[in-house]
Amino acid sequence: MTDPVKGNLKILGNSSSVGGSFQNVGITGECRFTGDVDCVKFGLTGNADIEGSLHAQEIKLTGECGVRGRIDALSVRGRGELRIDSRMKAERLAFEGHLEVKEDCEAGEFRLSGVVEIGGLLSGDQLDIGLFGYSRAGDVGGGTIRIKPSKAYKLMKMVHPNRNARFESRAIEGDIVELEHVSAETVRGGRVIIGPGCEIETVEYRESLEIHKSAMVRSQIKL
């Protein structure tokens, strides 16, 4: 027997749903899901609260979304606030705003401008974080890792000089690591650039190491 054709779910205004399997989910307004949501495309303009997990090929968000379970997706993009009480796995993430994942976050390509809070491990082939305020992760691992203040933060800093952007982590490890305004116990990599505003306990490097004059590195070890 062939699987039945999945229908679409379109919500305008305020509503609720038990969740389920769909082709496309489109929300303009507010919606509360009491179970898992499984779909091809999930689009949100407004607010959504999912008490289960969200599985989709493509997720596009403008607004606020809270997920009690986990997110599994090929693509996550948008702007606003995304909170996940479990873990997230995506092939590509491009987001502006506030991302909070209570456990691990894994993405092949991770690009974020704003604030990120990861309770466990943040990992990916390419991690590019533009800071706009305080951010953190338990540990960070990847191929190419770049963590620096965002362009928006640099413009805001001209108006509000007392506002700070900072990223904190226990350990950061990658093939190429470029950091600014980062505090970490250990940074390990092939090519490592410790930029302005960094406070690092130990740097371990294989190929090359650059340290900005304003950065503080207590110990450096050539592997």
Side-chain angles (χ1 to χ4, degrees), residues 64-102:
E64 298 182 13
C65 183
V67 181
R68 302 287 178 86
R70 60 180 291 161
I71 284 183
D72 290 284
L74 292 179
S75 171
V76 179
R77 58 193 175 99
R79 62 179 59 193
E81 184 173 354
L82 176 58
R83 305 178 311 278
I84 304 161
D85 287 352
S86 181
R87 55 198 299 142
M88 180 170 74
K89 184 175 182 180
E91 289 295 322
R92 298 175 302 279
L93 179 139
F95 199 74
E96 295 181 21
H98 185 179
L99 171 65
E100 180 180 0
V101 183
K102 294 291 182 64

PDB file of all heavy atoms in Angstrom, residues 64-102:
ATOM      1  N   GLU A  64       8.723  34.360  17.081  1.00  0.00           N
ATOM      2  CA  GLU A  64       9.182  33.584  18.222  1.00  0.00           C
ATOM      3  C   GLU A  64       8.645  32.160  18.127  1.00  0.00           C
ATOM      4  O   GLU A  64       7.470  31.950  17.839  1.00  0.00           O
ATOM      5  CB  GLU A  64       8.716  34.216  19.535  1.00  0.00           C
ATOM      6  CG  GLU A  64       9.263  35.607  19.780  1.00  0.00           C
ATOM      7  CD  GLU A  64       8.814  36.162  21.117  1.00  0.00           C
ATOM      8  OE1 GLU A  64       8.296  35.374  21.945  1.00  0.00           O
ATOM      9  OE2 GLU A  64       8.974  37.377  21.335  1.00  0.00           O
ATOM     10  N   CYS A  65       9.528  31.196  18.406  1.00  0.00           N
ATOM     11  CA  CYS A  65       9.147  29.792  18.356  1.00  0.00           C
ATOM     12  C   CYS A  65       9.804  29.057  19.517  1.00  0.00           C
ATOM     13  O   CYS A  65      11.018  29.150  19.710  1.00  0.00           O
ATOM     14  CB  CYS A  65       9.552  29.156  17.023  1.00  0.00           C
ATOM     15  SG  CYS A  65       9.026  27.427  16.837  1.00  0.00           S
ATOM     16  N   GLY A  66       9.014  28.309  20.271  1.00  0.00           N
ATOM     17  CA  GLY A  66       9.523  27.484  21.349  1.00  0.00           C
ATOM     18  C   GLY A  66       9.213  26.020  21.086  1.00  0.00           C
ATOM     19  O   GLY A  66       8.085  25.680  20.718  1.00  0.00           O
ATOM     20  N   VAL A  67      10.209  25.163  21.241  1.00  0.00           N
ATOM     21  CA  VAL A  67      10.052  23.730  20.978  1.00  0.00           C
ATOM     22  C   VAL A  67      10.472  22.970  22.233  1.00  0.00           C
ATOM     23  O   VAL A  67      11.623  23.063  22.660  1.00  0.00           O
ATOM     24  CB  VAL A  67      10.901  23.281  19.765  1.00  0.00           C
ATOM     25  CG1 VAL A  67      10.708  21.792  19.504  1.00  0.00           C
ATOM     26  CG2 VAL A  67      10.528  24.092  18.524  1.00  0.00           C
ATOM     27  N   ARG A  68       9.537  22.207  22.817  1.00  0.00           N
ATOM     28  CA  ARG A  68       9.849  21.470  24.043  1.00  0.00           C
ATOM     29  C   ARG A  68      10.754  20.273  23.772  1.00  0.00           C
ATOM     30  O   ARG A  68      11.538  19.876  24.624  1.00  0.00           O
ATOM     31  CB  ARG A  68       8.554  20.998  24.710  1.00  0.00           C
ATOM     32  CG  ARG A  68       7.599  22.114  25.052  1.00  0.00           C
ATOM     33  CD  ARG A  68       8.068  22.932  26.234  1.00  0.00           C
ATOM     34  NE  ARG A  68       7.167  24.030  26.513  1.00  0.00           N
ATOM     35  CZ  ARG A  68       6.082  23.924  27.266  1.00  0.00           C
ATOM     36  NH1 ARG A  68       5.773  22.762  27.806  1.00  0.00           N
ATOM     37  NH2 ARG A  68       5.319  24.980  27.477  1.00  0.00           N
ATOM     38  N   GLY A  69      10.620  19.669  22.591  1.00  0.00           N
ATOM     39  CA  GLY A  69      11.439  18.522  22.230  1.00  0.00           C
ATOM     40  C   GLY A  69      12.680  18.948  21.464  1.00  0.00           C
ATOM     41  O   GLY A  69      13.385  19.869  21.853  1.00  0.00           O
ATOM     42  N   ARG A  70      12.935  18.299  20.331  1.00  0.00           N
ATOM     43  CA  ARG A  70      14.116  18.582  19.530  1.00  0.00           C
ATOM     44  C   ARG A  70      13.711  19.057  18.141  1.00  0.00           C
ATOM     45  O   ARG A  70      12.551  18.928  17.733  1.00  0.00           O
ATOM     46  CB  ARG A  70      15.009  17.347  19.424  1.00  0.00           C
ATOM     47  CG  ARG A  70      14.341  16.139  18.786  1.00  0.00           C
ATOM     48  CD  ARG A  70      15.289  14.978  18.723  1.00  0.00           C
ATOM     49  NE  ARG A  70      16.368  15.225  17.763  1.00  0.00           N
ATOM     50  CZ  ARG A  70      17.517  14.560  17.760  1.00  0.00           C
ATOM     51  NH1 ARG A  70      17.736  13.627  18.674  1.00  0.00           N
ATOM     52  NH2 ARG A  70      18.449  14.823  16.855  1.00  0.00           N
ATOM     53  N   ILE A  71      14.685  19.603  17.413  1.00  0.00           N
ATOM     54  CA  ILE A  71      14.491  19.984  16.022  1.00  0.00           C
ATOM     55  C   ILE A  71      15.442  19.174  15.160  1.00  0.00           C
ATOM     56  O   ILE A  71      16.647  19.104  15.439  1.00  0.00           O
ATOM     57  CB  ILE A  71      14.735  21.493  15.798  1.00  0.00           C
ATOM     58  CG1 ILE A  71      13.544  22.312  16.304  1.00  0.00           C
ATOM     59  CG2 ILE A  71      14.974  21.795  14.319  1.00  0.00           C
ATOM     60  CD1 ILE A  71      13.673  23.805  16.058  1.00  0.00           C
ATOM     61  N   ASP A  72      14.906  18.569  14.101  1.00  0.00           N
ATOM     62  CA  ASP A  72      15.697  17.915  13.061  1.00  0.00           C
ATOM     63  C   ASP A  72      15.278  18.525  11.736  1.00  0.00           C
ATOM     64  O   ASP A  72      14.091  18.479  11.379  1.00  0.00           O
ATOM     65  CB  ASP A  72      15.444  16.406  13.046  1.00  0.00           C
ATOM     66  CG  ASP A  72      16.020  15.712  14.270  1.00  0.00           C
ATOM     67  OD1 ASP A  72      17.240  15.532  14.317  1.00  0.00           O
ATOM     68  OD2 ASP A  72      15.241  15.350  15.165  1.00  0.00           O
ATOM     69  N   ALA A  73      16.231  19.098  10.995  1.00  0.00           N
ATOM     70  CA  ALA A  73      15.887  19.785   9.761  1.00  0.00           C
ATOM     71  C   ALA A  73      17.066  19.801   8.810  1.00  0.00           C
ATOM     72  O   ALA A  73      18.219  19.642   9.221  1.00  0.00           O
ATOM     73  CB  ALA A  73      15.433  21.216  10.052  1.00  0.00           C
ATOM     74  N   LEU A  74      16.767  20.001   7.530  1.00  0.00           N
ATOM     75  CA  LEU A  74      17.828  20.241   6.564  1.00  0.00           C
ATOM     76  C   LEU A  74      18.238  21.711   6.605  1.00  0.00           C
ATOM     77  O   LEU A  74      19.414  22.033   6.601  1.00  0.00           O
ATOM     78  CB  LEU A  74      17.363  19.860   5.153  1.00  0.00           C
ATOM     79  CG  LEU A  74      17.115  18.377   4.881  1.00  0.00           C
ATOM     80  CD1 LEU A  74      16.647  18.170   3.447  1.00  0.00           C
ATOM     81  CD2 LEU A  74      18.382  17.572   5.153  1.00  0.00           C
ATOM     82  N   SER A  75      17.240  22.611   6.670  1.00  0.00           N
ATOM     83  CA  SER A  75      17.524  24.043   6.627  1.00  0.00           C
ATOM     84  C   SER A  75      16.697  24.771   7.682  1.00  0.00           C
ATOM     85  O   SER A  75      15.487  24.531   7.789  1.00  0.00           O
ATOM     86  CB  SER A  75      17.204  24.602   5.236  1.00  0.00           C
ATOM     87  OG  SER A  75      17.270  26.018   5.217  1.00  0.00           O
ATOM     88  N   VAL A  76      17.358  25.636   8.448  1.00  0.00           N
ATOM     89  CA  VAL A  76      16.679  26.520   9.400  1.00  0.00           C
ATOM     90  C   VAL A  76      17.140  27.938   9.117  1.00  0.00           C
ATOM     91  O   VAL A  76      18.343  28.208   9.150  1.00  0.00           O
ATOM     92  CB  VAL A  76      16.995  26.146  10.864  1.00  0.00           C
ATOM     93  CG1 VAL A  76      16.285  27.102  11.813  1.00  0.00           C
ATOM     94  CG2 VAL A  76      16.598  24.709  11.163  1.00  0.00           C
ATOM     95  N   ARG A  77      16.197  28.835   8.854  1.00  0.00           N
ATOM     96  CA  ARG A  77      16.589  30.213   8.586  1.00  0.00           C
ATOM     97  C   ARG A  77      15.503  31.166   9.072  1.00  0.00           C
ATOM     98  O   ARG A  77      14.360  30.772   9.276  1.00  0.00           O
ATOM     99  CB  ARG A  77      16.860  30.436   7.093  1.00  0.00           C
ATOM    100  CG  ARG A  77      15.705  30.129   6.171  1.00  0.00           C
ATOM    101  CD  ARG A  77      16.155  30.079   4.722  1.00  0.00           C
ATOM    102  NE  ARG A  77      15.086  29.681   3.818  1.00  0.00           N
ATOM    103  CZ  ARG A  77      14.374  30.544   3.095  1.00  0.00           C
ATOM    104  NH1 ARG A  77      14.655  31.845   3.154  1.00  0.00           N
ATOM    105  NH2 ARG A  77      13.409  30.125   2.301  1.00  0.00           N
ATOM    106  N   GLY A  78      15.903  32.409   9.234  1.00  0.00           N
ATOM    107  CA  GLY A  78      14.936  33.412   9.644  1.00  0.00           C
ATOM    108  C   GLY A  78      15.510  34.375  10.652  1.00  0.00           C
ATOM    109  O   GLY A  78      16.724  34.518  10.803  1.00  0.00           O
ATOM    110  N   ARG A  79      14.598  35.028  11.379  1.00  0.00           N
ATOM    111  CA  ARG A  79      15.000  36.005  12.386  1.00  0.00           C
ATOM    112  C   ARG A  79      13.965  36.028  13.491  1.00  0.00           C
ATOM    113  O   ARG A  79      12.796  35.722  13.275  1.00  0.00           O
ATOM    114  CB  ARG A  79      15.160  37.389  11.779  1.00  0.00           C
ATOM    115  CG  ARG A  79      13.893  37.976  11.181  1.00  0.00           C
ATOM    116  CD  ARG A  79      14.142  39.361  10.622  1.00  0.00           C
ATOM    117  NE  ARG A  79      15.170  39.368   9.601  1.00  0.00           N
ATOM    118  CZ  ARG A  79      15.755  40.464   9.136  1.00  0.00           C
ATOM    119  NH1 ARG A  79      15.413  41.649   9.632  1.00  0.00           N
ATOM    120  NH2 ARG A  79      16.662  40.404   8.186  1.00  0.00           N
ATOM    121  N   GLY A  80      14.463  36.375  14.700  1.00  0.00           N
ATOM    122  CA  GLY A  80      13.564  36.418  15.840  1.00  0.00           C
ATOM    123  C   GLY A  80      14.160  35.680  17.023  1.00  0.00           C
ATOM    124  O   GLY A  80      15.333  35.855  17.359  1.00  0.00           O
ATOM    125  N   GLU A  81      13.357  34.808  17.645  1.00  0.00           N
ATOM    126  CA  GLU A  81      13.787  34.053  18.812  1.00  0.00           C
ATOM    127  C   GLU A  81      13.378  32.601  18.660  1.00  0.00           C
ATOM    128  O   GLU A  81      12.213  32.293  18.428  1.00  0.00           O
ATOM    129  CB  GLU A  81      13.189  34.637  20.090  1.00  0.00           C
ATOM    130  CG  GLU A  81      13.667  33.956  21.358  1.00  0.00           C
ATOM    131  CD  GLU A  81      13.193  34.648  22.622  1.00  0.00           C
ATOM    132  OE1 GLU A  81      12.587  35.732  22.511  1.00  0.00           O
ATOM    133  OE2 GLU A  81      13.424  34.098  23.714  1.00  0.00           O
ATOM    134  N   LEU A  82      14.341  31.706  18.808  1.00  0.00           N
ATOM    135  CA  LEU A  82      14.094  30.262  18.707  1.00  0.00           C
ATOM    136  C   LEU A  82      14.648  29.595  19.948  1.00  0.00           C
ATOM    137  O   LEU A  82      15.844  29.687  20.230  1.00  0.00           O
ATOM    138  CB  LEU A  82      14.754  29.700  17.446  1.00  0.00           C
ATOM    139  CG  LEU A  82      14.670  28.177  17.241  1.00  0.00           C
ATOM    140  CD1 LEU A  82      13.226  27.704  17.201  1.00  0.00           C
ATOM    141  CD2 LEU A  82      15.402  27.777  15.954  1.00  0.00           C
ATOM    142  N   ARG A  83      13.775  28.919  20.715  1.00  0.00           N
ATOM    143  CA  ARG A  83      14.162  28.247  21.950  1.00  0.00           C
ATOM    144  C   ARG A  83      13.845  26.754  21.837  1.00  0.00           C
ATOM    145  O   ARG A  83      12.716  26.384  21.499  1.00  0.00           O
ATOM    146  CB  ARG A  83      13.411  28.836  23.150  1.00  0.00           C
ATOM    147  CG  ARG A  83      13.571  30.334  23.308  1.00  0.00           C
ATOM    148  CD  ARG A  83      12.749  30.854  24.486  1.00  0.00           C
ATOM    149  NE  ARG A  83      11.367  30.369  24.441  1.00  0.00           N
ATOM    150  CZ  ARG A  83      10.408  30.912  23.701  1.00  0.00           C
ATOM    151  NH1 ARG A  83      10.683  31.964  22.923  1.00  0.00           N
ATOM    152  NH2 ARG A  83       9.186  30.430  23.734  1.00  0.00           N
ATOM    153  N   ILE A  84      14.835  25.927  22.153  1.00  0.00           N
ATOM    154  CA  ILE A  84      14.684  24.481  22.039  1.00  0.00           C
ATOM    155  C   ILE A  84      15.090  23.854  23.357  1.00  0.00           C
ATOM    156  O   ILE A  84      16.225  24.020  23.808  1.00  0.00           O
ATOM    157  CB  ILE A  84      15.558  23.929  20.890  1.00  0.00           C
ATOM    158  CG1 ILE A  84      15.217  24.640  19.576  1.00  0.00           C
ATOM    159  CG2 ILE A  84      15.361  22.423  20.741  1.00  0.00           C
ATOM    160  CD1 ILE A  84      16.276  24.533  18.524  1.00  0.00           C
ATOM    161  N   ASP A  85      14.164  23.128  23.987  1.00  0.00           N
ATOM    162  CA  ASP A  85      14.440  22.564  25.302  1.00  0.00           C
ATOM    163  C   ASP A  85      15.302  21.309  25.241  1.00  0.00           C
ATOM    164  O   ASP A  85      15.832  20.884  26.266  1.00  0.00           O
ATOM    165  CB  ASP A  85      13.126  22.239  26.023  1.00  0.00           C
ATOM    166  CG  ASP A  85      12.416  23.492  26.506  1.00  0.00           C
ATOM    167  OD1 ASP A  85      13.019  24.585  26.411  1.00  0.00           O
ATOM    168  OD2 ASP A  85      11.270  23.385  26.974  1.00  0.00           O
ATOM    169  N   SER A  86      15.432  20.702  24.062  1.00  0.00           N
ATOM    170  CA  SER A  86      16.265  19.505  23.926  1.00  0.00           C
ATOM    171  C   SER A  86      17.480  19.833  23.053  1.00  0.00           C
ATOM    172  O   SER A  86      18.302  20.642  23.422  1.00  0.00           O
ATOM    173  CB  SER A  86      15.444  18.349  23.350  1.00  0.00           C
ATOM    174  OG  SER A  86      16.225  17.180  23.242  1.00  0.00           O
ATOM    175  N   ARG A  87      17.554  19.255  21.860  1.00  0.00           N
ATOM    176  CA  ARG A  87      18.716  19.433  20.999  1.00  0.00           C
ATOM    177  C   ARG A  87      18.269  19.766  19.588  1.00  0.00           C
ATOM    178  O   ARG A  87      17.110  19.588  19.220  1.00  0.00           O
ATOM    179  CB  ARG A  87      19.579  18.171  21.009  1.00  0.00           C
ATOM    180  CG  ARG A  87      18.835  16.911  20.631  1.00  0.00           C
ATOM    181  CD  ARG A  87      19.564  15.662  21.070  1.00  0.00           C
ATOM    182  NE  ARG A  87      20.874  15.555  20.450  1.00  0.00           N
ATOM    183  CZ  ARG A  87      21.945  15.091  21.087  1.00  0.00           C
ATOM    184  NH1 ARG A  87      21.852  14.697  22.343  1.00  0.00           N
ATOM    185  NH2 ARG A  87      23.098  14.998  20.469  1.00  0.00           N
ATOM    186  N   MET A  88      19.225  20.241  18.771  1.00  0.00           N
ATOM    187  CA  MET A  88      18.924  20.585  17.385  1.00  0.00           C
ATOM    188  C   MET A  88      19.984  20.000  16.453  1.00  0.00           C
ATOM    189  O   MET A  88      21.174  20.042  16.756  1.00  0.00           O
ATOM    190  CB  MET A  88      18.849  22.099  17.173  1.00  0.00           C
ATOM    191  CG  MET A  88      18.545  22.474  15.718  1.00  0.00           C
ATOM    192  SD  MET A  88      18.152  24.214  15.471  1.00  0.00           S
ATOM    193  CE  MET A  88      19.765  24.937  15.659  1.00  0.00           C
ATOM    194  N   LYS A  89      19.519  19.505  15.318  1.00  0.00           N
ATOM    195  CA  LYS A  89      20.411  19.032  14.266  1.00  0.00           C
ATOM    196  C   LYS A  89      19.895  19.548  12.937  1.00  0.00           C
ATOM    197  O   LYS A  89      18.732  19.350  12.590  1.00  0.00           O
ATOM    198  CB  LYS A  89      20.489  17.505  14.247  1.00  0.00           C
ATOM    199  CG  LYS A  89      21.474  16.957  13.236  1.00  0.00           C
ATOM    200  CD  LYS A  89      21.598  15.443  13.342  1.00  0.00           C
ATOM    201  CE  LYS A  89      22.627  14.917  12.352  1.00  0.00           C
ATOM    202  NZ  LYS A  89      22.763  13.427  12.446  1.00  0.00           N
ATOM    203  N   ALA A  90      20.774  20.238  12.177  1.00  0.00           N
ATOM    204  CA  ALA A  90      20.392  20.803  10.893  1.00  0.00           C
ATOM    205  C   ALA A  90      21.583  20.786   9.949  1.00  0.00           C
ATOM    206  O   ALA A  90      22.729  20.894  10.386  1.00  0.00           O
ATOM    207  CB  ALA A  90      19.869  22.230  11.057  1.00  0.00           C
ATOM    208  N   GLU A  91      21.309  20.660   8.663  1.00  0.00           N
ATOM    209  CA  GLU A  91      22.388  20.753   7.681  1.00  0.00           C
ATOM    210  C   GLU A  91      22.869  22.190   7.536  1.00  0.00           C
ATOM    211  O   GLU A  91      24.065  22.444   7.455  1.00  0.00           O
ATOM    212  CB  GLU A  91      21.903  20.224   6.325  1.00  0.00           C
ATOM    213  CG  GLU A  91      21.695  18.727   6.261  1.00  0.00           C
ATOM    214  CD  GLU A  91      22.992  17.964   6.433  1.00  0.00           C
ATOM    215  OE1 GLU A  91      24.025  18.421   5.904  1.00  0.00           O
ATOM    216  OE2 GLU A  91      22.980  16.932   7.119  1.00  0.00           O
ATOM    217  N   ARG A  92      21.911  23.131   7.536  1.00  0.00           N
ATOM    218  CA  ARG A  92      22.261  24.549   7.372  1.00  0.00           C
ATOM    219  C   ARG A  92      21.406  25.391   8.310  1.00  0.00           C
ATOM    220  O   ARG A  92      20.191  25.186   8.401  1.00  0.00           O
ATOM    221  CB  ARG A  92      22.024  25.002   5.924  1.00  0.00           C
ATOM    222  CG  ARG A  92      22.851  24.277   4.892  1.00  0.00           C
ATOM    223  CD  ARG A  92      22.479  24.698   3.486  1.00  0.00           C
ATOM    224  NE  ARG A  92      21.067  24.463   3.214  1.00  0.00           N
ATOM    225  CZ  ARG A  92      20.567  23.287   2.867  1.00  0.00           C
ATOM    226  NH1 ARG A  92      21.358  22.232   2.771  1.00  0.00           N
ATOM    227  NH2 ARG A  92      19.273  23.146   2.622  1.00  0.00           N
ATOM    228  N   LEU A  93      22.041  26.343   8.973  1.00  0.00           N
ATOM    229  CA  LEU A  93      21.308  27.302   9.798  1.00  0.00           C
ATOM    230  C   LEU A  93      21.802  28.703   9.482  1.00  0.00           C
ATOM    231  O   LEU A  93      23.009  28.953   9.487  1.00  0.00           O
ATOM    232  CB  LEU A  93      21.492  27.003  11.291  1.00  0.00           C
ATOM    233  CG  LEU A  93      20.756  27.986  12.234  1.00  0.00           C
ATOM    234  CD1 LEU A  93      20.119  27.246  13.397  1.00  0.00           C
ATOM    235  CD2 LEU A  93      21.699  29.069  12.757  1.00  0.00           C
ATOM    236  N   ALA A  94      20.875  29.595   9.184  1.00  0.00           N
ATOM    237  CA  ALA A  94      21.180  31.008   8.962  1.00  0.00           C
ATOM    238  C   ALA A  94      20.131  31.797   9.718  1.00  0.00           C
ATOM    239  O   ALA A  94      18.954  31.817   9.325  1.00  0.00           O
ATOM    240  CB  ALA A  94      21.159  31.356   7.476  1.00  0.00           C
ATOM    241  N   PHE A  95      20.531  32.456  10.814  1.00  0.00           N
ATOM    242  CA  PHE A  95      19.545  33.041  11.710  1.00  0.00           C
ATOM    243  C   PHE A  95      20.050  34.368  12.257  1.00  0.00           C
ATOM    244  O   PHE A  95      21.240  34.536  12.515  1.00  0.00           O
ATOM    245  CB  PHE A  95      19.276  32.073  12.870  1.00  0.00           C
ATOM    246  CG  PHE A  95      17.986  32.334  13.605  1.00  0.00           C
ATOM    247  CD1 PHE A  95      16.765  31.994  13.035  1.00  0.00           C
ATOM    248  CD2 PHE A  95      18.003  32.913  14.858  1.00  0.00           C
ATOM    249  CE1 PHE A  95      15.580  32.229  13.705  1.00  0.00           C
ATOM    250  CE2 PHE A  95      16.822  33.161  15.545  1.00  0.00           C
ATOM    251  CZ  PHE A  95      15.598  32.815  14.963  1.00  0.00           C
ATOM    252  N   GLU A  96      19.119  35.298  12.444  1.00  0.00           N
ATOM    253  CA  GLU A  96      19.401  36.579  13.084  1.00  0.00           C
ATOM    254  C   GLU A  96      18.495  36.707  14.302  1.00  0.00           C
ATOM    255  O   GLU A  96      17.275  36.573  14.182  1.00  0.00           O
ATOM    256  CB  GLU A  96      19.132  37.752  12.129  1.00  0.00           C
ATOM    257  CG  GLU A  96      20.043  37.805  10.917  1.00  0.00           C
ATOM    258  CD  GLU A  96      19.738  39.010  10.041  1.00  0.00           C
ATOM    259  OE1 GLU A  96      19.138  39.976  10.559  1.00  0.00           O
ATOM    260  OE2 GLU A  96      20.086  38.986   8.856  1.00  0.00           O
ATOM    261  N   GLY A  97      19.109  36.928  15.462  1.00  0.00           N
ATOM    262  CA  GLY A  97      18.305  37.073  16.657  1.00  0.00           C
ATOM    263  C   GLY A  97      18.863  36.273  17.811  1.00  0.00           C
ATOM    264  O   GLY A  97      20.071  36.267  18.053  1.00  0.00           O
ATOM    265  N   HIS A  98      17.982  35.554  18.520  1.00  0.00           N
ATOM    266  CA  HIS A  98      18.348  34.833  19.736  1.00  0.00           C
ATOM    267  C   HIS A  98      18.041  33.352  19.543  1.00  0.00           C
ATOM    268  O   HIS A  98      16.888  32.970  19.324  1.00  0.00           O
ATOM    269  CB  HIS A  98      17.562  35.390  20.917  1.00  0.00           C
ATOM    270  CG  HIS A  98      17.948  34.803  22.233  1.00  0.00           C
ATOM    271  ND1 HIS A  98      17.377  35.189  23.425  1.00  0.00           N
ATOM    272  CD2 HIS A  98      18.853  33.832  22.572  1.00  0.00           C
ATOM    273  CE1 HIS A  98      17.901  34.511  24.425  1.00  0.00           C
ATOM    274  NE2 HIS A  98      18.802  33.671  23.925  1.00  0.00           N
ATOM    275  N   LEU A  99      19.077  32.524  19.630  1.00  0.00           N
ATOM    276  CA  LEU A  99      18.925  31.082  19.538  1.00  0.00           C
ATOM    277  C   LEU A  99      19.359  30.463  20.854  1.00  0.00           C
ATOM    278  O   LEU A  99      20.488  30.675  21.306  1.00  0.00           O
ATOM    279  CB  LEU A  99      19.773  30.513  18.399  1.00  0.00           C
ATOM    280  CG  LEU A  99      19.868  28.979  18.331  1.00  0.00           C
ATOM    281  CD1 LEU A  99      18.510  28.374  18.025  1.00  0.00           C
ATOM    282  CD2 LEU A  99      20.897  28.546  17.292  1.00  0.00           C
ATOM    283  N   GLU A 100      18.469  29.670  21.465  1.00  0.00           N
ATOM    284  CA  GLU A 100      18.787  28.974  22.706  1.00  0.00           C
ATOM    285  C   GLU A 100      18.491  27.491  22.543  1.00  0.00           C
ATOM    286  O   GLU A 100      17.370  27.111  22.210  1.00  0.00           O
ATOM    287  CB  GLU A 100      17.982  29.538  23.881  1.00  0.00           C
ATOM    288  CG  GLU A 100      18.289  28.842  25.196  1.00  0.00           C
ATOM    289  CD  GLU A 100      17.486  29.387  26.363  1.00  0.00           C
ATOM    290  OE1 GLU A 100      16.684  30.321  26.142  1.00  0.00           O
ATOM    291  OE2 GLU A 100      17.641  28.879  27.490  1.00  0.00           O
ATOM    292  N   VAL A 101      19.498  26.658  22.769  1.00  0.00           N
ATOM    293  CA  VAL A 101      19.356  25.201  22.712  1.00  0.00           C
ATOM    294  C   VAL A 101      19.861  24.651  24.037  1.00  0.00           C
ATOM    295  O   VAL A 101      21.033  24.851  24.384  1.00  0.00           O
ATOM    296  CB  VAL A 101      20.144  24.592  21.534  1.00  0.00           C
ATOM    297  CG1 VAL A 101      19.910  23.085  21.464  1.00  0.00           C
ATOM    298  CG2 VAL A 101      19.739  25.251  20.217  1.00  0.00           C
ATOM    299  N   LYS A 102      19.006  23.960  24.780  1.00  0.00           N
ATOM    300  CA  LYS A 102      19.387  23.520  26.126  1.00  0.00           C
ATOM    301  C   LYS A 102      20.465  22.437  26.090  1.00  0.00           C
ATOM    302  O   LYS A 102      21.293  22.350  27.000  1.00  0.00           O
ATOM    303  CB  LYS A 102      18.153  22.991  26.870  1.00  0.00           C
ATOM    304  CG  LYS A 102      17.112  24.062  27.166  1.00  0.00           C
ATOM    305  CD  LYS A 102      17.607  25.055  28.197  1.00  0.00           C
ATOM    306  CE  LYS A 102      16.551  26.111  28.524  1.00  0.00           C
ATOM    307  NZ  LYS A 102      15.344  25.566  29.156  1.00  0.00           N
TER     308      LYS A 102
END
